[in-house]
């Protein structure tokens, strides 16, 4: 990874934010009535931050990441990447998309080395870097296998490795650990954190898992559906860091954040008058309730 | 004749079996093959015997010929190398025509497929050409280039390039958008997208279409010889027919068939290799 100047999150820096949404609306072109996918999005992500986005299915999480990558243009408001309103693909983006995009005709090594190859890194160097990266996601023994020979979770790790190998400025991840078992998920979270720590890599991380969001994020953006919008931005500065996941989850601050975010995500489930008036809860309601009562964190 | 589908299913079973089972499996499969070939050979023997018996007894010899006559004629044609030089002539026209057709067809398919706007414009024309019996244009090709080898090459090219174009075009048009986006995000240039994504993605389709296109090119070359020629297996068949020499026609047809089968098996072997490499030979 490039220069390793540690940036303390939230240190009142005056530099331009990496990502800035201002009253952003996105509508997909389509027939008939055009329903916007997301409306009134205001979000600023400064350098080095790790932002988690949670929300029910269809609320526009992937849409936001697409805008960040430059693959999708906003239809209203302004989006800025590193202070500029771009209208072409953004530079220095690493995007682990929700849909798998490994090349079936390349091996694990070839897939991980692909972005290096496209950017003219010499064969020897890219093989070395790719192999190193593969080893660090636990696929050191699988270098010459093809994606079809791997499990879903392994393929996701290949995608992660391919994204990290280029040392991007902005890391976009759309449910990258969705297919992993609980243990591996925690390991991958820790791996990701260790990779990011001490760099000024900015990350936007979409997940369905509130625990995951609270464990690895600096802040959590909670979205609500139909049309998608941001309901709450919860900064996690008061959470204890550098403790084990178990200890973290037992801290009172954690419980407070979790309760607050649940209230937002579960919408009209709350009966204390906050009454977040959204429709997403009509199909999430029961499910979220049971999940909440048994301490689960799946929210869609 | 030959089946197009790869026999991955049977291979998968033998791969996953335990060693002991594997031995049993192998023996069973060998036996199976032996049985299969015994039946096939029996069919040929019965067919040829019946043919030999019927020839001259039930049907006149000059209409149905006979296996011995065919062998005799084969020997005659081989003497002085006439059969081989005719074969060479036809395969030359077919081979060059096929190569040019593959090149033009796949290049056009890629180009048109990459530019969506072009695809949308040409779609109905492509459908029209797909339905045209291209071989009917051979008289026109005679007008253009005369009756030499060039004419046969052109007829072969013109007959076979469309099926290749059509397949590559479709494969290119329907490329996975997510993969394309990922390539662009990784900073790939247009050229890199072409060589790193479109070409490999279209390879499977290209190979499939090559296998379909080769016999079509062969028909093209033969029809070219029918239109006007003094050489080639097409000419040999036509000439023999005009002299009421059924055995001669059959020798020409059998020669060309066997050659085409050999070439098809080579193409099939390549196709199977690539299919495995492309991830279509799914294991377990
Ligand atoms: N290409 C598209 N064309 C038209 N509508 C789309 C397209 N992609 C997404 N949408 C719509 O935009 C809305 C938001 O979709 P998006 O994929 O961003 O949701 P999401 O939050 O990522 O959902 P999930 O958690 O299920 O991945 C949905 O209502 C969806 O129907
Ligand atoms: Mg999504």
């Amino acid at each position: 990874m490039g220069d390793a100047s540690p940036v303390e999150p939230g240190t009142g820096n005056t530099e331009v934010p990496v990502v800035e949404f201002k009253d952003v609306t996105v509508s997909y072109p389509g027939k008939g009535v055009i329903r916007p996918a997301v409306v009134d999005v205001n979000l600023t992500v400064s350098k080095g931050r790790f932002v988690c986005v949670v929300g029910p299915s269809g609320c526009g999480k992937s849409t936001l990441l697409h805008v960040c990558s430059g693959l999708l243009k906003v239809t209203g408001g302004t989006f800025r990447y590193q202070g500029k309103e771009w209208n072409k693909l953004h530079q220095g983006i690493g995007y682990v998309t929700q849909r798998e995009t490994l090349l079936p005709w390349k091996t694990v090594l070839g897939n991980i080395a692909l972005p290096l190859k496209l950017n003219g890194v010499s064969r020897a160097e890219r093989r070395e870097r790719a192999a190193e990266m593969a080893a660090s996601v636990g696929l050191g023994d699988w270098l010459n296998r093809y994606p079809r020979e791997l499990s879903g979770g392994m393929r996701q790790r290949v995608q992660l490795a391919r994204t990290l190998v280029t040392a991007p400025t902005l890391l976009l991840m759309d449910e990258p650990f969705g297919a992993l078992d609980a243990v591996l998920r925690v390991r991958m979270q820790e791996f990701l954190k260790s990779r990011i720590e001490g760099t000024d890599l900015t990350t936007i991380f979409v997940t369905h898992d509130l625990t995951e969001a609270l464990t690895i994020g600096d802040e959590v953006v909670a979205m609500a559906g139909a049309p998608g919008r941001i309901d709450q931005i919860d900064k996690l500065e008061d959470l204890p860091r550098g403790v084990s996941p178990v200890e973290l989850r037992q801290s009172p601050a954690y419980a407070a954040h979790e309760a607050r975010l649940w209230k937002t995500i579960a919408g009209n489930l709350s009966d204390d008058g906050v009454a977040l008036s959204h429709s997403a809860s009509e199909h999430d309601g029961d499910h979220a309730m049971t999940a909440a009562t048994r301490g689960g964190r799946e929210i869609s | 004749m030959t089946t197009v589908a790869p026999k991955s299913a049977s291979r998968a079973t033998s791969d996953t079996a335990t060693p002991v089972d594997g031995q049993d499996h192998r023996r069973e499969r060998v036996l199976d093959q032996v049985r299969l070939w015994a039946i096939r050979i029996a069919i040929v023997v019965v067919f040829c015997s019946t043919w030999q018996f019927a020839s001259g007894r039930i049907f006149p010899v000059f209409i149905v010929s006979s296996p011995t006559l065919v062998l005799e004629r084969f020997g005659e044609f081989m003497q002085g190398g006439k059969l081989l030089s005719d074969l060479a002539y036809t395969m030359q026209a077919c081979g060059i025509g096929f190569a040019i057709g593959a090149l033009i067809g796949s290049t056009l398919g890629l180009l048109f497929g990459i530019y969506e706007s072009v695809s949308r414009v040409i779609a109905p024309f492509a459908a029209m050409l797909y339905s045209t019996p291209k071989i009917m244009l051979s008289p026109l090709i005679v007008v253009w280039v005369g009756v030499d080898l060039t004419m046969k090459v052109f007829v072969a090219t013109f007959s076979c390039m469309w099926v290749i174009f059509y397949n590559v075009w479709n494969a290119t048009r329907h490329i996975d958008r997510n993969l394309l986006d990922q390539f662009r995000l990784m900073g790939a240039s247009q050229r890199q997208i072409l060589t790193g994504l479109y070409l490999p993605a279209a390879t499977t389709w290209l190979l499939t279409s090559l296998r379909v296109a080769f016999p079509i090119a062969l028909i093209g070359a033969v029809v070219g010889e029918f239109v006007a020629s003094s050489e080639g297996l097409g000419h040999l068949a036509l000439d023999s027919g005009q002299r009421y020499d059924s055995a001669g026609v059959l020798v020409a047809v059998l020669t060309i068939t066997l050659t085409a089968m050999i070439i098809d098996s080579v193409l099939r072997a390549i196709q199977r290799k690539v299919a495995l490499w492309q991830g279509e030979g799914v294991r377990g």
Side-chain angles (χ1 to χ4, degrees):
Chain A
M1 307 244 139
D3 50 334
S5 59
V7 168
E8 207 55 58
T11 44
N13 49 28
T14 49
E15 55 188 318
V16 281
V18 176
V19 162
E20 197 180 5
F21 288 89
K22 216 156 180 282
D23 301 322
V24 163
T25 301
V26 179
S27 312
Y28 286 99
K31 295 187 188 117
V33 191
I34 294 176
R35 250 186 7 154
V38 294
V39 293
D40 298 332
V41 171
N42 285 291
L43 179 66
T44 304
V45 181
S46 45
K47 206 175 190 179
R49 296 289 282 177
F50 195 118
V51 175
C52 289
V53 181
V54 295
S57 187
C59 69
K61 303 182 295 292
S62 300
T63 302
L64 286 193
L65 290 197
H66 264 61
V67 169
C68 292
S69 70
L71 286 172
L72 191 63
K73 272 188 222 163
V74 300
T75 39
T78 47
F79 171 81
R80 288 198 181 86
Y81 173 63
Q82 296 192 318
K84 286 187 206 120
E85 266 186 73
W86 289 79
N87 50 10
K88 55 179 190 313
L89 277 182
H90 303 153
Q91 300 277 309
I93 305 278
Y95 190 177
V96 181
T97 50
Q98 194 166 12
R99 238 18 121 68
E100 184 191 306
T101 56
L102 295 177
L103 298 184
W105 54 83
K106 279 196 180 291
T107 59
V108 167
L109 191 69
N111 266 293
I112 298 175
L114 181 63
L116 299 176
K117 184 181 179 183
L118 294 175
N119 290 298
V121 177
S122 77
R123 186 180 156 84
E125 190 192 335
R126 65 175 188 253
R127 285 181 75 87
E128 192 192 314
R129 279 168 66 182
E132 193 185 310
M133 187 52 76
S136 65
V137 295
L139 294 173
D141 295 333
W142 296 80
L143 295 182
N144 296 315
R145 301 303 190 93
Y146 288 89
R148 65 177 179 277
E149 299 174 287
L150 308 184
S151 71
M154 289 162 100
R155 288 201 295 267
Q156 273 184 323
R157 282 184 279 157
V158 177
Q159 300 219 87
L160 176 63
R162 181 182 66 184
T163 307
L164 289 177
V165 82
T166 53
T169 312
L170 174 62
L171 184 58
L172 305 170
M173 307 181 87
D174 205 339
E175 294 185 50
F177 303 148
L180 304 186
D181 64 76
V183 176
L184 192 53
R185 182 181 269 240
V186 171
R187 273 218 240 124
M188 290 308 294
Q189 289 166 1
E190 279 165 4
F191 164 74
L192 183 61
K193 273 308 234 188
S194 71
R195 271 273 153 186
I196 287 173
E197 226 131 77
T199 72
D200 47 17
L201 179 58
T202 311
T203 311
I204 304 180
F205 186 102
V206 168
T207 175
H208 271 134
D209 185 343
L210 188 50
T211 306
E212 181 168 69
L214 287 166
T215 310
I216 58 177
D218 294 326
E219 60 191 84
V220 178
V221 172
M223 295 184 70
R229 70 187 139 307
I230 294 179
D231 252 9
Q232 188 186 347
I233 299 178
D234 200 12
K235 296 210 155 59
L236 307 177
E237 254 83 73
D238 55 334
L239 283 188
R241 289 302 175 194
V243 299
S244 78
V246 179
E247 277 177 89
L248 173 69
R249 266 163 240 171
Q250 280 162 351
S251 74
Y254 181 92
H257 283 290
E258 191 181 32
R260 202 156 45 226
L261 284 161
W262 261 118
K263 214 177 277 172
T264 306
I265 293 158
N268 57 11
L269 271 183
S270 58
D271 48 8
D272 58 356
V274 179
L276 299 152
S277 55
H278 307 316
S279 55
S281 37
E282 67 194 48
H283 69 270
D284 276 340
D286 294 342
H287 181 79
M289 181 64 104
T290 46
T293 42
R294 67 160 195 265
R297 280 97 189 165
E298 293 294 324
I299 52 169
S300 97
Chain B
M1 254 178 68
T2 50
T3 45
V4 181
K7 292 167 185 157
S8 54
S10 62
R11 194 177 307 146
T13 28
S14 68
D15 273 350
T16 47
T18 61
V20 182
D21 275 0
Q23 286 258 313
D24 281 1
H25 263 272
R26 213 161 297 143
R27 190 169 309 139
E28 218 167 85
R29 264 179 48 200
V30 169
L31 274 174
D32 195 49
Q33 285 289 310
V34 169
R35 251 195 310 264
L36 211 56
W37 277 103
I39 295 171
R40 285 170 183 166
I41 291 167
I43 289 174
V44 173
V45 168
V46 169
F47 177 79
C48 288
S49 321
T50 316
W51 182 11
Q52 184 72 44
F53 176 80
S55 163
R57 290 189 177 85
I58 302 175
F59 303 107
V61 176
F62 85 93
I63 291 182
V64 297
S65 183
S66 78
T68 43
L69 268 176
V70 169
L71 279 177
E72 211 173 280
R73 192 72 75 248
F74 178 74
E76 271 170 40
F77 284 163
M78 282 300 274
Q79 262 165 23
K82 172 157 177 53
L83 188 66
L84 289 183
S85 78
D86 277 342
L87 176 64
Y89 185 83
T90 304
M91 293 321 289
Q92 195 183 347
C94 166
I96 300 175
F98 176 65
I100 299 175
L103 201 69
I104 299 179
S106 50
T107 310
L108 285 184
L110 267 175
L111 283 181
F112 287 9
I114 288 170
Y115 298 104
E116 207 187 325
S117 46
V118 182
S119 287
R120 285 179 51 202
V121 173
I122 64 154
F125 300 115
M128 190 181 120
L129 265 170
Y130 192 71
S131 313
T132 311
K134 271 73 67 177
I135 207 88
M136 276 177 76
L137 290 168
S138 346
L140 195 59
I141 293 175
V142 174
V143 175
W144 292 344
V145 297
V147 295
D148 291 342
L149 182 69
T150 321
M151 182 266 280
K152 286 115 206 173
V153 169
F154 265 60
V155 177
T157 301
F158 210 70
S159 344
C160 79
M161 62 185 260
W162 303 105
V163 63
I164 299 170
F165 164 75
Y166 219 73
N167 272 292
V168 173
W169 180 48
N170 267 320
T172 311
R173 275 163 83 196
H174 298 129
I175 194 128
D176 185 346
R177 306 298 305 180
N178 296 295
L179 279 184
L180 191 59
D181 283 345
Q182 192 66 49
F183 258 75
R184 299 202 294 139
L185 279 170
M186 292 189 292
S189 65
Q190 282 300 111
R191 194 183 55 76
Q192 286 173 323
I193 290 176
L194 182 69
T195 56
L197 181 60
Y198 279 110
L199 278 181
T203 308
T204 317
W205 283 98
L206 176 65
L207 282 166
T208 310
S209 65
L210 289 186
R211 275 191 69 197
V212 178
F214 186 78
I216 300 180
L218 202 51
I219 294 173
V222 169
V223 169
E225 288 170 18
F226 280 4
V227 171
S229 188
S230 54
E231 269 179 279
L233 289 173
H235 168 255
L236 181 66
L238 197 66
D239 191 47
S240 301
Q242 280 163 355
R243 287 187 282 105
Y244 296 101
D245 175 12
S246 312
V249 177
L250 289 174
V251 169
V253 171
L254 282 173
T255 308
I256 212 165
T257 305
L258 287 176
T259 314
M261 276 177 76
I262 292 169
I263 290 169
D264 184 67
S265 65
V266 172
L267 286 175
R268 186 178 43 182
I270 298 173
Q271 186 187 26
R272 206 175 278 173
K273 273 243 162 64
V274 174
L276 268 177
W277 164 69
Q278 287 271 25
E280 269 156 42
V282 178
R283 291 199 212 160

